[in-house]
Amino acid sequence: MSRPEKRSFTSYRMFLVISCLLMLLSACGADPTVNPSSSPLPTGRTNATPDQSQAPGSTLLPGTTTATDTNAANPNLIRIYSSVPLAGGTKQIAQTSDNVYKMALDDFTGGSGKIGNYTIEYVTQSDGIEGTGLGWDDDLEKANITRAINDPNAMVYLGPDFSGAVKGVLPLLNKAGLAIISSHASYPGLTQSVPEITRADEPDIYYPTGQRNFFRITSSDNVQGVALVELFKQLKAQKIFVIADAQAYGKGLASSVIATCLKQGLDCSRRTSISGTESNYTALVQGIKANSPDAIMYAGTFGEHTQKLLSDIRAAGLTMPFVGGDGLNFDTFAKNNVLDTNIYCMKGGVPNDKLSEKGQQVLARIQAKYGQRIDASILSSYETMSVALTAIKNAGTKDRKAVIQALATIKDFDGTLGKWSFNQNGDIDLNSFTALNAANGSWKYYLLINLQKI
């Protein structure tokens, strides 16, 4: 904060009191005028206070906005908002993603924080909360988009990471004409209609204006489902028991795997679901045992319930492969099962050593700064910020509609993930997947799967 002029002891004491109150509100993610659950979206000031010392392109504390009035239009300022789960089970990965967003902004602008005559300001917001099985908090998510939508300087919204969170806020962002780019939200129904996987009203229900504004730097689950079936065939598994969690990601991925199994002659007829709040899974395990599958498919995201499920399965003497999608690609899961070598997961993209030269160079810098164990999948965050900035540059004007149009026409983008384009749905057309095997407490390369571009 800029230090105030000292006029008198009384005024200075009053300044301290007000400042402390504002800091307390900021630390709680509070906003005295925004009710996240209200509709239509509220307007008015945010919890931010004037600060002339804020540097271009800088990031503030999670859950806060920039220190300037976000309802005041500035013709030379463009803001990019993010929403990442900086609390809860995925906070470590989310923090790295946030850092990588900043790195990409710095790289793109050469450290200036400017594109042409526009100052680019990046605003971090957190949608995570401790003790929730969802991975995000609905109220925080709605508060985050409220700040962005009501800020006339906001041109792009990065995130959320979870498909369920995107489903809740995408219609509001669509009405506001604000571009949204997600690095991880992979539920097919957000962008396309897929028989036996998506609902009849998807994806149209998410685009009330009829215009698309959602883009993602990850393959949709219907494509990942095809890759997972290729992995099952490699593992010589003909009969698969499918378990899905209660989230949109898990449901969509499970449906995709089952639909692909039917087409390719594999038996995925036995399917069940879990909420993630069960005290144990002994009854479920007995069902698996009676079914005698060659492999178990878990369609869901990593959490304490995942470890509980696997532990109950292994305790019953079931040693068949336990396979998950990219929602299981967490170091902690591999570390927790250091003696179990029959665990597999999928991740989008190619192995580190098969990245392009640009991708390897950026990954090396990320690893040097934030940890050598960071996987190449973090490059999706770098790519997300990079393509957002490219769209702003290509639009050449501070206009939300122009930025969306610039994103929709991204073709042959030569980035860290290789050369790719957005298709007519807003999906990235890269469809390489890497299967990983948990060995000695870490994920190891197992199989590269290249699918035809969508």
Side-chain angles (χ1 to χ4, degrees):
M1 295 285 290
S2 300
R3 187 177 182 88
E5 293 182 16
K6 185 175 180 181
R7 293 183 175 88
S8 68
F9 174 78
T10 300
S11 61
Y12 184 63
R13 183 172 58 185
M14 182 63 70
F15 169 82
L16 288 177
V17 171
I18 294 173
S19 296
C20 289
L21 287 172
L22 287 171
M23 283 190 288
L24 284 171
L25 286 171
S26 175
C28 294
D31 188 330
T33 61
V34 173
N35 179 0
S37 61
S38 64
S39 181
L41 292 171
T43 57
R45 293 179 61 87
T46 67
N47 59 341
T49 53
D51 182 355
Q52 302 304 318
S53 65
Q54 184 66 36
S58 62
T59 308
L60 301 184
L61 294 174
T64 66
T65 59
T66 53
T68 52
D69 186 344
T70 57
N71 289 307
N74 182 333
N76 300 118
L77 174 65
I78 288 177
R79 288 199 181 102
I80 297 175
Y81 283 77
S82 72
S83 186
V84 289
L86 294 174
T90 60
K91 61 185 175 184
Q92 185 174 359
I93 290 178
Q95 184 61 67
T96 303
S97 293
D98 184 52
N99 288 330
V100 170
Y101 283 154
K102 301 171 196 175
M103 177 185 285
L105 172 59
D106 194 55
D107 288 350
F108 194 94
T109 63
S112 69
K114 296 182 72 69
I115 295 178
N117 293 325
Y118 297 109
T119 294
I120 310 299
E121 197 168 76
Y122 168 54
V123 185
T124 299
Q125 299 182 116
S126 177
D127 61 357
I129 190 169
E130 299 290 351
T132 175
L134 286 176
W136 78 93
D137 178 77
D138 280 331
D139 287 343
L140 282 177
E141 199 67 69
K142 290 174 184 176
N144 289 348
I145 67 158
T146 296
R147 294 187 186 101
I149 287 172
N150 289 334
D151 182 0
N153 303 301
M155 294 295 116
V156 182
Y157 193 83
L158 307 183
D161 285 344
F162 294 92
S163 296
V166 175
K167 290 173 72 172
V169 299
L170 181 51
L172 299 175
L173 290 164
N174 184 255
K175 288 179 182 178
L178 186 61
I180 168 175
I181 314 172
S182 177
S183 306
H184 303 291
S186 54
Y187 174 63
L190 294 172
T191 62
Q192 56 189 295
S193 175
V194 182
E196 301 179 38
I197 297 177
T198 60
R199 297 195 324 242
D201 58 357
E202 292 174 333
D204 293 344
I205 191 173
Y206 305 118
Y207 304 97
T209 68
Q211 302 298 314
R212 296 295 184 97
N213 64 315
F214 175 72
F215 305 86
R216 55 180 162 201
I217 313 296
T218 186
S219 297
S220 60
D221 293 330
N222 56 309
V223 182
Q224 184 178 177
V226 177
L228 281 162
V229 172
E230 289 298 315
L231 174 58
F232 285 127
K233 291 194 290 187
Q234 181 72 23
L235 294 170
K236 303 188 184 307
Q238 291 293 316
K239 188 177 183 181
I240 298 100
F241 192 104
V242 180
I243 305 170
D245 71 4
Q247 294 187 31
Y249 166 78
K251 293 177 181 178
L253 186 58
S255 296
S256 175
V257 167
I258 291 170
T260 306
C261 282
L262 288 172
K263 293 176 183 177
Q264 301 198 21
L266 278 68
D267 180 3
C268 290
S269 58
R270 186 62 191 274
R271 172 181 179 172
T272 191
S273 60
I274 61 174
S275 67
T277 60
E278 294 86 355
S279 59
N280 65 74
Y281 296 100
T282 52
L284 171 58
V285 169
Q286 290 307 309
I288 297 173
K289 199 169 188 177
N291 190 249
S292 300
D294 301 317
I296 297 169
M297 168 69 203
Y298 175 66
T301 54
F302 168 72
E304 290 182 5
H305 63 286
T306 318
Q307 184 59 55
K308 188 185 302 179
L309 172 64
L310 180 59
S311 296
D312 286 353
I313 289 171
R314 296 310 193 216
L318 301 177
T319 60
M320 69 280 290
F322 184 87
V323 180
D326 53 4
L328 286 190
N329 186 17
F330 286 79
D331 285 345
T332 303
F333 191 54
K335 289 177 184 176
N336 288 348
N337 300 282
V338 65
L339 299 179
D340 193 335
T341 59
N342 220 6
I343 304 173
Y344 300 84
C345 79
M346 193 68 67
K347 72 160 189 169
V350 300
N352 294 9
D353 61 355
K354 295 187 183 301
L355 289 167
S356 66
E357 183 178 353
K358 180 186 293 185
Q360 291 195 37
Q361 289 176 351
V362 172
L363 180 61
R365 290 172 51 221
I366 294 171
Q367 290 175 332
K369 192 168 185 178
Y370 301 114
Q372 287 297 322
R373 292 178 62 87
I374 294 174
D375 184 76
S377 57
I378 195 64
L379 292 177
S380 62
S381 297
Y382 189 94
E383 207 86 327
T384 296
M385 176 62 87
S386 298
V387 78
L389 295 167
T390 298
I392 290 169
K393 180 179 179 181
N394 290 349
T397 182
K398 183 181 175 179
D399 178 78
R400 290 181 178 181
K401 185 175 181 180
V403 172
I404 291 174
Q405 181 60 29
L407 281 167
T409 54
I410 291 288
K411 302 295 179 186
D412 296 324
F413 185 82
D414 191 11
T416 59
L417 301 179
K419 189 169 286 190
W420 58 268
S421 305
F422 282 130
N423 67 12
Q424 69 275 12
N425 298 321
D427 287 318
I428 193 171
D429 66 356
L430 285 179
N431 289 300
S432 293
F433 292 87
T434 301
L436 304 172
N437 172 231
N440 300 318
S442 63
W443 293 108
K444 306 293 184 184
Y445 168 79
Y446 180 75
L447 178 69
L448 176 62
I449 302 169
N450 288 311
L451 302 176
Q452 186 176 8
K453 286 191 174 185
I454 54 177

